[in-house]
Amino acid sequence: MAGLKHFKMALDPAIIRLGNMNSNRYKYFRWTPYTAWLSFVYIGVVPGIVGYIAYTTDGKWDLRAKRRGDIIAEI
């Protein structure tokens, strides 16, 4: 504690390379069939499924002002 300089640590070269790779990832991106498919799934399919579920369950349950013993489904 007295006189030790804890802020001076040896930097791991692998961690530095990983940080540089993550900050420069956009420079090395390429559209391949895999990245195109993955983009299509995350931009189109997943929101479509969530939207379909939201649309089909819209108004099915009323969760406001429910007390213990009340049913969730509106009859």
Side-chain angles (χ1 to χ4, degrees):
M1 283 212 245
L4 292 178
K5 296 182 179 178
H6 294 289
F7 60 88
K8 291 187 176 184
M9 294 178 52
L11 298 174
D12 188 6
I15 294 177
I16 293 172
R17 275 195 315 263
L18 179 68
N20 289 335
M21 182 188 68
N22 283 337
S23 63
N24 295 321
R25 186 179 301 261
Y26 70 95
K27 295 178 184 176
Y28 305 106
F29 178 78
R30 288 188 183 155
W31 282 106
T32 62
Y34 177 73
T35 57
W37 169 249
L38 206 59
S39 299
F40 173 71
V41 167
Y42 284 124
I43 293 172
V45 175
V46 172
I49 291 171
V50 172
Y52 175 75
I53 291 170
Y55 181 75
T56 56
T57 60
D58 186 31
K60 197 171 197 177
W61 299 295
D62 185 20
L63 299 176
R64 293 188 63 189
K66 294 293 180 181
R67 296 185 179 147
R68 190 182 308 173
D70 290 347
I71 58 173
I72 294 176
E74 293 294 320
I75 299 173

